[in-house]
Amino acid sequence: REVGKTIKSSKKQFIWRMELNNKEVNIELFTSKISGKKKILVGGKVIYEVKKHKDTFTYPFKVGKTTIYMVETGSDIFDLRIDNKSFD
């Protein structure tokens, strides 16, 4: 969804909700078209933030023992991969 303060379409928020190891997990990605800034939150806590990112974005992280990858597959298209399988 678009969440920019002045220009709504300048920032987007992506949300994934799932259950991992019998716990509910919320993963959020905020991305800015203008600055290229990206921020990932897990359970409301920032785990990654980059000011500018020009190349294709990929960020691996762990939730418990589970490895998760946030992968940019196109312009404003992101794939969440759990143990290297796409989360639908």
Side-chain angles (χ1 to χ4, degrees):
R1 79 186 167 134
E2 297 175 340
V3 294
K5 287 182 183 176
T6 305
I7 303 171
K8 286 282 186 199
S9 63
S10 68
K11 290 182 184 173
K12 289 200 175 183
Q13 177 187 30
F14 299 85
I15 301 171
W16 293 269
R17 291 183 176 94
M18 68 203 73
E19 189 173 303
L20 287 175
N21 303 319
N22 297 319
K23 289 186 179 181
E24 188 173 316
V25 177
N26 291 318
I27 299 172
E28 297 174 81
L29 168 68
F30 290 88
T31 182
S32 171
K33 287 183 181 182
I34 296 169
S35 70
K37 182 178 176 180
K38 297 193 179 9
K39 180 167 54 173
I40 299 174
L41 292 85
V42 175
K45 295 180 183 179
V46 177
I47 63 159
Y48 178 80
E49 190 168 7
V50 65
K51 299 288 182 195
K52 212 172 215 181
H53 204 280
K54 293 183 181 180
D55 299 326
T56 303
F57 176 75
T58 301
Y59 182 71
F61 58 98
K62 287 200 174 267
V63 174
K65 295 180 180 181
T66 305
T67 302
I68 299 175
Y69 288 85
M70 180 77 61
V71 180
E72 186 173 10
T73 59
S75 179
D76 279 337
I77 302 170
F78 294 88
D79 188 22
L80 193 71
R81 297 180 184 166
I82 301 172
D83 292 330
N84 213 22
K85 295 178 184 166
S86 289
F87 176 78
D88 293 326

